[in-house]
Amino acid sequence: MKQIDLKDTYLKFFESKGHKIIPSAPIIPENDPTCLFNTAGMQPLVPYLKGEPHPEGTRLADVQKCFRTNDLDSIGDTTHHTFFEMLGNWSLGDYFKKESISWSFEFLTKYLEIPVEKLAVSVFKGNDIVPADNESANIWKSQGIKEGRIAFLSEEHNWWPNMELLGPCGPDTEIFYWRGKSVAPETFDPEDENWVEIWNNVFMQYNHEEDGTFTPLKNKNVDTGLGVERVTAILEGYSDNYKSSIWKDIIEKIEEISRLPYEDEKYSKSMRIIADHIRAIVMITGDDAGIKPSNTDQGYILRRLIRRMIRYAKKLNIDVNSNWEQELALMVIEKYSKYYKELERNKEVILQTLKDEKIKFNRTLEHGLKEFEKVVKNLEGNLVNKDIAFRLYDTFGFPIELTEELAKELNLKVDVEGFKQKFKEHQEKSRQGATGKFKGGLASTRRNGNKISYSYTSFKCSIKKSFGTSCPSKR
Ligand code: SER
């Protein structure tokens, strides 16, 4: 299969079409306190999509660092990632559907050499705001996409981000690739899982206002997004993203450290989790925002990633006290420094942060796991109650999600609501001045009393009522 540098090829292609290549914005949004992370390439460009002139002009392209927390619990399968890179090109009131579609087609068929027989597209079928997108369908036909391979779909599929979120939005056209072993059917069935979405071209013409109306934006914009991990795996012929060149060396390093084979299904899930999390950890700690593990917001996500990664390393019998995580982090830094210079600059901070949190968690992990085993043995019924969950959190530093995951593996449930209640009560007590002696794990930061905003909504979702909350595309 084709071996190319997807990111370089993409950027060069769009440069040749008059685009300025801009650097990735930080993974932590700079001017948007409602968002924990950037979840899409367009997110840092919202002011410009709304009409503010961009200093680099009206045609832009980049590789954006993105992070989506709603995929966190799916990590471990072959296609999901927390951190991922999104290739994007934008027209800020410059070109529109014709150029956008024909360039996407040219890039896929000429530069990536994907046969047209393996492509299908969806376009918007229309609603009260805009009519059916026959224009896009006709442009696709003029490029050589057969009528049967064009599906007109509802706003649920072809409106980005969706009809609920506020801000710039619009109908889109999505491009699908046939991953099946058989010849691609003549008629495109979007329900057939062999068709995977690879590129989303959004025609951003509206702003969804607070009052629920959709007003036309100053400009008719284009916002496209193509997931690097998925497309690389497709080009290299893998259905498991972790076998592609993006992950190969990291997985091999984990095999070397653990002395276990990825191909053995007993170990592959743990290896994928470690590979995904170490990359995300490096990207978050390497960001200039200076995020450190904590009990709030991005810091809490970071803590969860590090602790979850350590638990899976333990499952692979890796000596968690050795330098395994430093070796992996160095590998990621080296691999990605070409695009993200801050990783090299913040190298020492990344390594030290990881090490400190590891040492902190390793102190209690073993005991916490033993405690969990003991508790489970004596459990009546299948519910891990709030007191146990809170003890695991408070004494052993187990994020509640970790307890949930441990429980799930044994078909048990956790009283998460009860835990939350208990957590709140405890927080209230410390706010009222109770000194309380906290041991280990998460305890150190909890002494800050009312500074803690341990918010369930904020860490379940990357952002609140703004872009990307729903993480709409299946990337
Ligand atoms: N904003 C769209 C997406 O994330 C296109 O980039 O899918």
Side-chain angles (χ1 to χ4, degrees), residues 13-14 89 96-110 114-125 132-153 158 171-177 188 195-203 222-226:
F13 176 79
F14 280 99
N89 62 278
F96 206 46
K97 294 183 182 178
K98 186 160 175 283
E99 293 85 346
S100 174
I101 290 176
S102 58
W103 288 341
S104 290
F105 187 80
E106 184 184 348
F107 182 70
L108 293 174
T109 56
K110 303 247 164 60
I114 294 178
V116 63
E117 295 74 38
K118 282 183 177 267
L119 293 175
V121 300
S122 64
V123 297
F124 186 47
K125 81 171 190 186
D133 195 359
N134 292 314
E135 188 186 349
S136 291
N138 287 332
I139 301 169
W140 281 119
K141 274 188 229 161
S142 75
Q143 297 296 315
I145 299 281
K146 301 246 169 65
E147 192 145 2
R149 291 280 181 82
I150 304 174
F152 281 80
L153 302 180
N158 283 75
D172 64 23
T173 178
E174 297 186 358
I175 308 171
F176 294 78
Y177 173 87
F188 169 42
W195 288 110
V196 286
E197 184 210 327
I198 54 172
W199 205 341
N200 183 13
N201 295 24
V202 187
F203 305 117
V222 175
D223 153 44
T224 88
L226 176 148

Coordinates of all heavy atoms in Angstrom, one line a residue, residues 13-14 89 96-110 114-125 132-153 158 171-177 188 195-203 222-226:
F13 N 0.1 20.3 -0.9 CA -1.0 20.4 -1.9 C -1.8 21.7 -1.7 O -2.1 22.4 -2.6 CB -2.0 19.2 -1.7 CG -3.2 19.2 -2.6 CD1 -3.0 18.9 -4.0 CD2 -4.4 19.6 -2.1 CE1 -4.2 19.0 -4.8 CE2 -5.5 19.7 -3.0 CZ -5.4 19.4 -4.3
F14 N -2.2 22.0 -0.4 CA -3.0 23.2 -0.2 C -2.2 24.5 -0.3 O -2.8 25.5 -0.7 CB -3.8 23.1 1.1 CG -5.0 22.2 0.9 CD1 -5.1 20.9 1.3 CD2 -6.1 22.7 0.2 CE1 -6.2 20.1 1.0 CE2 -7.3 21.9 -0.1 CZ -7.3 20.6 0.3
N89 N -8.4 22.5 5.9 CA -8.2 23.7 5.0 C -9.4 24.6 5.1 O -10.5 24.1 5.3 CB -7.8 23.3 3.6 CG -8.9 22.5 2.9 OD1 -9.0 21.3 3.1 ND2 -9.7 23.2 2.2
F96 N -15.6 28.5 -2.5 CA -16.7 27.8 -1.8 C -16.8 26.4 -2.4 O -15.8 25.7 -2.5 CB -18.0 28.6 -2.0 CG -19.0 28.4 -1.0 CD1 -18.7 28.4 0.4 CD2 -20.4 28.2 -1.3 CE1 -19.6 28.2 1.4 CE2 -21.3 28.0 -0.3 CZ -21.0 28.0 1.0
K97 N -18.0 25.9 -2.6 CA -18.2 24.5 -2.8 C -17.4 23.9 -4.0 O -16.8 22.8 -3.9 CB -19.7 24.2 -3.1 CG -20.6 24.5 -1.9 CD -22.0 24.2 -2.1 CE -22.8 24.6 -0.8 NZ -24.2 24.4 -0.9
K98 N -17.4 24.6 -5.1 CA -16.7 24.0 -6.3 C -15.3 23.7 -6.1 O -14.8 22.6 -6.3 CB -16.9 25.0 -7.5 CG -16.4 24.5 -8.8 CD -17.0 25.3 -9.9 CE -16.5 24.9 -11.3 NZ -15.1 25.4 -11.5
E99 N -14.5 24.7 -5.6 CA -13.1 24.5 -5.3 C -12.9 23.5 -4.2 O -12.1 22.6 -4.3 CB -12.4 25.8 -4.9 CG -12.3 26.8 -6.0 CD -13.6 27.7 -6.1 OE1 -14.6 27.3 -5.5 OE2 -13.6 28.7 -6.8
S100 N -13.7 23.6 -3.2 CA -13.5 22.7 -2.0 C -13.6 21.3 -2.4 O -12.8 20.4 -2.1 CB -14.5 23.1 -0.9 OG -14.4 22.2 0.1
I101 N -14.7 21.0 -3.1 CA -15.0 19.6 -3.5 C -14.0 19.1 -4.5 O -13.4 18.0 -4.4 CB -16.4 19.5 -4.0 CG1 -17.4 19.7 -2.8 CG2 -16.7 18.1 -4.7 CD1 -18.9 19.7 -3.2
S102 N -13.7 19.9 -5.5 CA -12.8 19.4 -6.6 C -11.4 19.3 -6.0 O -10.7 18.3 -6.4 CB -12.8 20.3 -7.8 OG -12.5 21.6 -7.5
W103 N -10.9 20.1 -5.1 CA -9.6 19.9 -4.5 C -9.6 18.6 -3.6 O -8.6 17.9 -3.6 CB -9.2 21.1 -3.7 CG -8.9 22.3 -4.6 CD1 -8.6 22.3 -5.9 CD2 -8.9 23.7 -4.2 NE1 -8.4 23.6 -6.4 CE2 -8.5 24.4 -5.3 CE3 -9.1 24.4 -3.0 CZ2 -8.4 25.8 -5.3 CZ3 -8.9 25.7 -3.0 CH2 -8.6 26.5 -4.1
S104 N -10.6 18.4 -2.9 CA -10.6 17.2 -2.0 C -10.5 16.0 -3.0 O -9.8 15.0 -2.7 CB -11.9 17.1 -1.2 OG -12.0 18.1 -0.2
F105 N -11.3 16.0 -4.0 CA -11.3 14.9 -5.0 C -9.9 14.7 -5.6 O -9.4 13.6 -5.7 CB -12.4 15.1 -6.1 CG -12.5 14.0 -7.0 CD1 -13.3 12.9 -6.6 CD2 -11.9 13.9 -8.2 CE1 -13.5 11.8 -7.4 CE2 -12.1 12.8 -9.1 CZ -12.8 11.7 -8.6
E106 N -9.3 15.8 -6.0 CA -8.0 15.8 -6.6 C -7.0 15.2 -5.6 O -6.2 14.3 -6.0 CB -7.6 17.2 -7.1 CG -6.3 17.2 -7.8 CD -5.8 18.7 -8.2 OE1 -6.6 19.6 -8.0 OE2 -4.6 18.8 -8.5
F107 N -7.0 15.7 -4.4 CA -6.1 15.2 -3.4 C -6.2 13.7 -3.2 O -5.2 13.0 -3.2 CB -6.2 16.0 -2.1 CG -5.2 15.6 -1.1 CD1 -3.9 15.9 -1.2 CD2 -5.6 14.9 0.1 CE1 -2.9 15.6 -0.2 CE2 -4.7 14.5 1.0 CZ -3.3 14.8 0.9
L108 N -7.4 13.3 -3.0 CA -7.6 11.9 -2.7 C -7.3 10.9 -3.9 O -6.6 9.9 -3.7 CB -9.1 11.6 -2.3 CG -9.6 12.3 -1.0 CD1 -11.0 12.1 -0.8 CD2 -8.8 11.7 0.2
T109 N -7.7 11.3 -5.1 CA -7.5 10.4 -6.2 C -6.1 10.5 -6.8 O -5.5 9.6 -7.3 CB -8.6 10.6 -7.3 OG1 -8.6 12.0 -7.7 CG2 -10.0 10.2 -6.7
K110 N -5.6 11.8 -6.9 CA -4.3 12.0 -7.6 C -3.1 11.8 -6.6 O -2.1 11.2 -6.9 CB -4.2 13.3 -8.3 CG -5.3 13.6 -9.3 CD -4.8 13.7 -10.7 CE -5.9 13.5 -11.7 NZ -6.9 14.5 -11.7
I114 N -6.2 7.1 -4.3 CA -7.4 6.3 -3.9 C -8.2 6.2 -5.2 O -8.6 7.2 -5.8 CB -8.1 7.0 -2.8 CG1 -7.3 7.0 -1.5 CG2 -9.5 6.2 -2.5 CD1 -7.9 7.7 -0.3
P115 N -8.6 4.9 -5.6 CA -9.4 4.8 -6.8 C -10.8 5.3 -6.5 O -11.4 5.1 -5.5 CB -9.5 3.3 -7.0 CG -8.5 2.7 -6.0 CD -8.2 3.7 -5.0
V116 N -11.3 6.0 -7.5 CA -12.7 6.6 -7.4 C -13.7 5.5 -7.0 O -14.7 5.8 -6.4 CB -13.0 7.4 -8.7 CG1 -13.1 6.5 -9.9 CG2 -14.3 8.2 -8.5
E117 N -13.5 4.3 -7.5 CA -14.5 3.2 -7.2 C -14.6 3.0 -5.7 O -15.5 2.3 -5.2 CB -14.0 1.9 -7.8 CG -14.0 1.9 -9.3 CD -12.8 2.7 -9.9 OE1 -11.7 2.6 -9.3 OE2 -13.0 3.3 -10.9
K118 N -13.6 3.4 -4.9 CA -13.7 3.2 -3.5 C -14.3 4.4 -2.7 O -14.2 4.5 -1.5 CB -12.3 2.9 -2.9 CG -11.8 1.4 -3.2 CD -10.5 1.2 -2.6 CE -10.0 -0.2 -2.8 NZ -10.3 -1.1 -1.7
L119 N -14.8 5.4 -3.4 CA -15.3 6.6 -2.8 C -16.8 6.7 -2.9 O -17.4 6.3 -3.9 CB -14.6 7.8 -3.3 CG -13.1 8.0 -3.1 CD1 -12.6 9.2 -3.9 CD2 -12.8 8.1 -1.6
A120 N -17.4 7.3 -1.9 CA -18.8 7.7 -1.9 C -18.9 9.0 -1.1 O -18.0 9.3 -0.3 CB -19.6 6.6 -1.2
V121 N -20.0 9.7 -1.3 CA -20.2 10.9 -0.5 C -21.6 11.1 0.0 O -22.6 10.5 -0.6 CB -19.8 12.2 -1.4 CG1 -18.4 12.1 -1.9 CG2 -20.8 12.3 -2.6
S122 N -21.8 11.9 1.0 CA -23.1 12.3 1.4 C -23.2 13.8 1.3 O -22.2 14.5 1.5 CB -23.4 11.8 2.9 OG -22.5 12.5 3.8
V123 N -24.4 14.2 1.0 CA -24.7 15.7 1.0 C -26.0 16.0 1.8 O -26.7 15.0 2.1 CB -24.8 16.2 -0.5 CG1 -23.5 16.0 -1.3 CG2 -26.0 15.6 -1.2
F124 N -26.2 17.2 2.1 CA -27.3 17.6 2.9 C -28.6 17.5 2.2 O -28.7 18.1 1.1 CB -27.1 19.0 3.5 CG -28.1 19.4 4.5 CD1 -28.5 18.6 5.5 CD2 -28.7 20.7 4.4 CE1 -29.4 18.9 6.5 CE2 -29.6 21.1 5.4 CZ -30.0 20.2 6.4
K125 N -29.6 16.9 2.8 CA -30.9 16.7 2.0 C -31.9 17.9 2.2 O -32.9 17.9 1.6 CB -31.6 15.4 2.4 CG -32.4 15.4 3.7 CD -33.1 14.1 3.7 CE -34.1 14.1 4.9 NZ -34.8 12.8 5.1
A132 N -32.0 21.3 -0.2 CA -31.2 20.2 -0.5 C -29.9 20.7 -1.2 O -30.0 21.6 -2.1 CB -31.9 19.2 -1.3
D133 N -28.8 20.1 -0.9 CA -27.5 20.6 -1.5 C -27.3 19.9 -2.9 O -26.3 19.2 -3.1 CB -26.4 20.3 -0.6 CG -25.1 21.1 -1.0 OD1 -25.2 21.8 -2.0 OD2 -24.1 21.0 -0.2
N134 N -28.2 20.2 -3.9 CA -28.0 19.7 -5.2 C -26.7 20.2 -5.8 O -26.1 19.5 -6.7 CB -29.1 20.1 -6.1 CG -30.4 19.4 -5.6 OD1 -30.4 18.1 -5.4 ND2 -31.5 20.1 -5.5
E135 N -26.3 21.4 -5.4 CA -25.1 22.0 -6.0 C -23.9 21.1 -5.7 O -23.1 20.8 -6.6 CB -24.9 23.4 -5.4 CG -23.8 24.2 -6.0 CD -23.5 25.5 -5.3 OE1 -24.3 25.9 -4.4 OE2 -22.4 26.1 -5.6
S136 N -23.7 20.7 -4.5 CA -22.6 19.8 -4.1 C -22.7 18.5 -4.9 O -21.7 18.0 -5.4 CB -22.5 19.6 -2.6 OG -22.2 20.8 -1.9
A137 N -23.9 18.0 -4.9 CA -24.1 16.7 -5.6 C -23.7 16.8 -7.0 O -23.0 15.9 -7.6 CB -25.6 16.2 -5.5
N138 N -24.0 17.9 -7.7 CA -23.7 18.1 -9.1 C -22.2 18.2 -9.3 O -21.6 17.7 -10.2 CB -24.4 19.3 -9.7 CG -25.9 18.9 -9.9 OD1 -26.2 17.7 -10.1 ND2 -26.7 19.9 -9.9
I139 N -21.5 18.9 -8.3 CA -20.1 19.1 -8.4 C -19.4 17.7 -8.3 O -18.5 17.3 -9.0 CB -19.5 20.1 -7.4 CG1 -20.2 21.4 -7.5 CG2 -18.0 20.2 -7.5 CD1 -19.9 22.4 -6.4
W140 N -19.9 16.9 -7.3 CA -19.3 15.5 -7.2 C -19.5 14.7 -8.5 O -18.6 14.0 -8.9 CB -20.0 14.8 -6.0 CG -19.5 15.2 -4.7 CD1 -20.3 15.7 -3.7 CD2 -18.2 15.1 -4.2 NE1 -19.5 16.0 -2.6 CE2 -18.2 15.6 -2.8 CE3 -17.0 14.6 -4.7 CZ2 -17.0 15.6 -2.0 CZ3 -15.8 14.6 -3.9 CH2 -15.9 15.1 -2.6
K141 N -20.7 14.8 -9.1 CA -20.9 14.1 -10.3 C -19.9 14.6 -11.4 O -19.4 13.7 -12.1 CB -22.4 14.3 -10.8 CG -23.3 13.4 -10.2 CD -24.7 13.5 -10.8 CE -25.8 13.6 -9.7 NZ -27.0 14.2 -10.2
S142 N -19.7 15.9 -11.5 CA -18.8 16.4 -12.5 C -17.4 15.9 -12.3 O -16.6 15.8 -13.2 CB -18.8 17.9 -12.5 OG -18.1 18.4 -11.4
Q143 N -17.1 15.5 -11.1 CA -15.7 15.0 -10.8 C -15.6 13.5 -11.1 O -14.5 12.9 -11.2 CB -15.4 15.1 -9.3 CG -15.4 16.5 -8.8 CD -14.2 17.3 -9.4 OE1 -13.1 16.8 -9.5 NE2 -14.5 18.5 -9.9
G144 N -16.8 12.8 -11.3 CA -16.7 11.4 -11.6 C -17.4 10.5 -10.6 O -17.2 9.3 -10.6
I145 N -18.0 11.1 -9.5 CA -18.7 10.2 -8.5 C -20.1 9.9 -9.1 O -20.8 10.8 -9.5 CB -18.9 11.0 -7.2 CG1 -17.5 11.3 -6.6 CG2 -19.7 10.1 -6.2 CD1 -16.7 10.2 -5.9
K146 N -20.3 8.6 -9.2 CA -21.6 8.1 -9.8 C -22.8 8.5 -8.9 O -22.7 8.5 -7.7 CB -21.6 6.6 -10.0 CG -20.5 6.2 -10.9 CD -21.0 5.6 -12.2 CE -20.0 5.3 -13.2 NZ -19.0 4.4 -12.9
E147 N -23.9 8.7 -9.5 CA -25.1 9.1 -8.8 C -25.5 8.1 -7.6 O -25.8 8.6 -6.5 CB -26.3 9.1 -9.7 CG -27.5 9.7 -9.2 CD -28.3 10.5 -10.2 OE1 -28.0 10.5 -11.4 OE2 -29.3 11.1 -9.7
G148 N -25.3 6.8 -7.8 CA -25.6 5.9 -6.7 C -24.7 6.0 -5.5 O -25.0 5.5 -4.5
R149 N -23.6 6.6 -5.7 CA -22.6 6.8 -4.6 C -22.8 8.1 -3.9 O -22.0 8.5 -3.1 CB -21.2 6.7 -5.2 CG -20.8 5.3 -5.7 CD -20.4 4.5 -4.5 NE -20.0 3.1 -4.9 CZ -18.8 2.8 -5.3 NH1 -17.9 3.8 -5.4 NH2 -18.5 1.6 -5.6
I150 N -23.9 8.8 -4.2 CA -24.2 10.1 -3.5 C -25.5 9.9 -2.7 O -26.5 9.6 -3.2 CB -24.4 11.2 -4.5 CG1 -23.1 11.4 -5.4 CG2 -24.6 12.6 -3.8 CD1 -23.3 12.4 -6.5
A151 N -25.3 10.1 -1.4 CA -26.5 9.9 -0.5 C -26.9 11.3 0.0 O -26.0 12.0 0.5 CB -26.2 9.0 0.6
F152 N -28.2 11.6 0.0 CA -28.7 12.8 0.6 C -29.2 12.5 2.0 O -30.1 11.7 2.1 CB -29.9 13.4 -0.3 CG -29.5 14.1 -1.5 CD1 -29.1 13.4 -2.6 CD2 -29.4 15.5 -1.5 CE1 -28.7 14.1 -3.8 CE2 -29.0 16.2 -2.7 CZ -28.7 15.5 -3.8
L153 N -28.5 13.1 3.0 CA -28.9 12.7 4.4 C -29.3 13.9 5.2 O -29.1 15.1 4.8 CB -27.6 12.1 5.0 CG -27.0 10.8 4.4 CD1 -25.8 10.3 5.2 CD2 -28.1 9.7 4.2
N158 N -25.5 15.5 8.2 CA -24.8 16.4 7.3 C -25.0 17.9 7.7 O -25.2 18.8 6.8 CB -25.2 16.2 5.9 CG -24.5 15.0 5.3 OD1 -24.9 13.9 5.6 ND2 -23.5 15.2 4.5
P171 N -24.3 23.2 6.5 CA -24.4 21.9 5.9 C -23.1 21.4 5.5 O -22.2 22.2 5.3 CB -25.3 22.1 4.7 CG -25.2 23.6 4.4 CD -24.9 24.3 5.7
D172 N -22.9 20.1 5.5 CA -21.6 19.6 5.0 C -21.7 18.5 4.0 O -22.9 18.0 3.7 CB -20.7 19.1 6.2 CG -21.3 17.9 6.9 OD1 -22.1 17.2 6.3 OD2 -21.0 17.8 8.1
T173 N -20.6 18.2 3.4 CA -20.6 17.0 2.5 C -19.5 16.1 3.1 O -18.4 16.6 3.4 CB -20.4 17.3 1.0 OG1 -20.3 16.1 0.3 CG2 -19.2 18.2 0.8
E174 N -19.8 14.8 3.3 CA -18.8 13.9 3.9 C -18.3 12.9 2.8 O -19.1 12.5 2.0 CB -19.3 13.2 5.1 CG -19.7 14.2 6.2 CD -20.2 13.5 7.5 OE1 -20.2 12.3 7.5 OE2 -20.5 14.2 8.4
I175 N -17.0 12.6 2.9 CA -16.4 11.7 1.9 C -16.1 10.3 2.6 O -15.6 10.3 3.7 CB -15.1 12.2 1.3 CG1 -15.4 13.6 0.8 CG2 -14.6 11.3 0.2 CD1 -14.2 14.4 0.4
F176 N -16.5 9.2 2.0 CA -16.4 7.9 2.6 C -15.5 7.0 1.7 O -15.5 7.1 0.5 CB -17.8 7.2 2.8 CG -18.7 7.9 3.7 CD1 -19.3 9.1 3.4 CD2 -18.9 7.4 5.0 CE1 -20.2 9.7 4.3 CE2 -19.7 8.0 5.9 CZ -20.3 9.2 5.6
Y177 N -14.8 6.1 2.4 CA -13.9 5.2 1.8 C -14.4 3.8 2.0 O -14.8 3.4 3.1 CB -12.5 5.4 2.3 CG -11.5 4.4 1.8 CD1 -10.8 4.6 0.7 CD2 -11.2 3.2 2.6 CE1 -9.8 3.7 0.2 CE2 -10.3 2.3 2.2 CZ -9.6 2.5 1.0 OH -8.7 1.6 0.5
F188 N -24.3 3.5 -2.5 CA -23.7 3.8 -1.2 C -24.8 3.7 -0.2 O -25.8 4.3 -0.2 CB -23.2 5.2 -1.3 CG -22.8 5.8 0.0 CD1 -22.1 5.1 1.0 CD2 -23.1 7.2 0.3 CE1 -21.8 5.7 2.2 CE2 -22.8 7.8 1.5 CZ -22.1 7.0 2.5
W195 N -18.1 1.3 4.9 CA -17.9 2.7 4.4 C -17.4 3.5 5.6 O -18.2 3.7 6.5 CB -19.2 3.3 3.8 CG -19.6 2.8 2.5 CD1 -20.6 2.0 2.2 CD2 -18.9 3.0 1.2 NE1 -20.7 1.7 0.9 CE2 -19.6 2.3 0.2 CE3 -17.8 3.8 0.8 CZ2 -19.3 2.3 -1.1 CZ3 -17.4 3.8 -0.5 CH2 -18.2 3.1 -1.5
V196 N -16.2 4.0 5.6 CA -15.8 4.9 6.7 C -15.6 6.3 6.3 O -15.0 6.6 5.2 CB -14.5 4.3 7.4 CG1 -14.7 3.1 8.2 CG2 -13.4 4.1 6.4
E197 N -16.0 7.2 7.1 CA -15.9 8.6 6.8 C -14.4 9.0 6.9 O -13.8 8.7 7.9 CB -16.7 9.4 7.8 CG -16.7 10.9 7.4 CD -16.9 11.8 8.7 OE1 -17.5 11.4 9.6 OE2 -16.3 12.9 8.7
I198 N -13.9 9.7 5.9 CA -12.5 10.2 5.9 C -12.4 11.7 5.9 O -11.3 12.2 6.3 CB -11.7 9.5 4.8 CG1 -12.2 9.7 3.4 CG2 -11.4 8.0 5.1 CD1 -11.3 9.3 2.3
W199 N -13.4 12.4 5.4 CA -13.2 13.8 5.2 C -14.5 14.5 5.3 O -15.5 14.0 4.8 CB -12.5 14.1 3.9 CG -11.7 15.4 3.8 CD1 -11.8 16.5 4.6 CD2 -10.7 15.7 2.8 NE1 -10.9 17.5 4.2 CE2 -10.2 17.0 3.1 CE3 -10.2 15.0 1.7 CZ2 -9.3 17.6 2.3 CZ3 -9.2 15.7 0.9 CH2 -8.8 16.9 1.2
N200 N -14.5 15.6 6.0 CA -15.8 16.4 6.2 C -15.6 17.8 5.7 O -14.7 18.5 6.2 CB -16.1 16.4 7.7 CG -17.4 17.0 8.0 OD1 -18.2 17.3 7.1 ND2 -17.7 17.3 9.2
N201 N -16.3 18.2 4.7 CA -16.2 19.6 4.2 C -17.5 20.3 4.6 O -18.6 20.0 4.1 CB -16.1 19.6 2.6 CG -14.8 19.0 2.1 OD1 -14.3 18.1 2.8 ND2 -14.4 19.3 0.9
V202 N -17.3 21.3 5.5 CA -18.5 22.0 6.0 C -18.6 23.4 5.3 O -17.6 24.1 5.2 CB -18.3 22.3 7.5 CG1 -19.6 22.9 8.1 CG2 -17.9 21.0 8.3
F203 N -19.8 23.7 4.9 CA -20.0 25.0 4.2 C -20.6 25.9 5.3 O -21.8 26.0 5.5 CB -20.9 24.8 3.0 CG -20.3 23.8 2.1 CD1 -20.9 22.6 1.8 CD2 -19.0 24.0 1.5 CE1 -20.3 21.7 0.9 CE2 -18.4 23.1 0.7 CZ -19.1 21.9 0.4
V222 N -15.5 27.9 4.2 CA -15.4 26.4 4.1 C -14.5 26.0 5.2 O -13.5 26.6 5.5 CB -14.7 26.0 2.7 CG1 -14.5 24.5 2.7 CG2 -15.6 26.4 1.6
D223 N -14.9 24.9 5.9 CA -14.1 24.3 7.0 C -14.0 22.8 6.7 O -15.0 22.1 6.7 CB -14.8 24.6 8.3 CG -14.5 23.6 9.4 OD1 -13.3 23.2 9.5 OD2 -15.4 23.2 10.1
T224 N -12.8 22.3 6.5 CA -12.7 20.9 6.3 C -11.9 20.2 7.3 O -11.0 20.8 7.9 CB -12.2 20.5 4.9 OG1 -10.7 20.4 5.0 CG2 -12.6 21.4 3.8
G225 N -12.1 18.9 7.5 CA -11.3 18.2 8.5 C -11.1 16.7 8.1 O -12.0 16.1 7.7
L226 N -9.9 16.3 8.2 CA -9.5 15.0 7.8 C -8.6 14.4 8.9 O -7.6 15.0 9.3 CB -8.8 15.1 6.4 CG -8.2 13.9 5.7 CD1 -8.3 14.1 4.2 CD2 -6.7 13.7 6.1

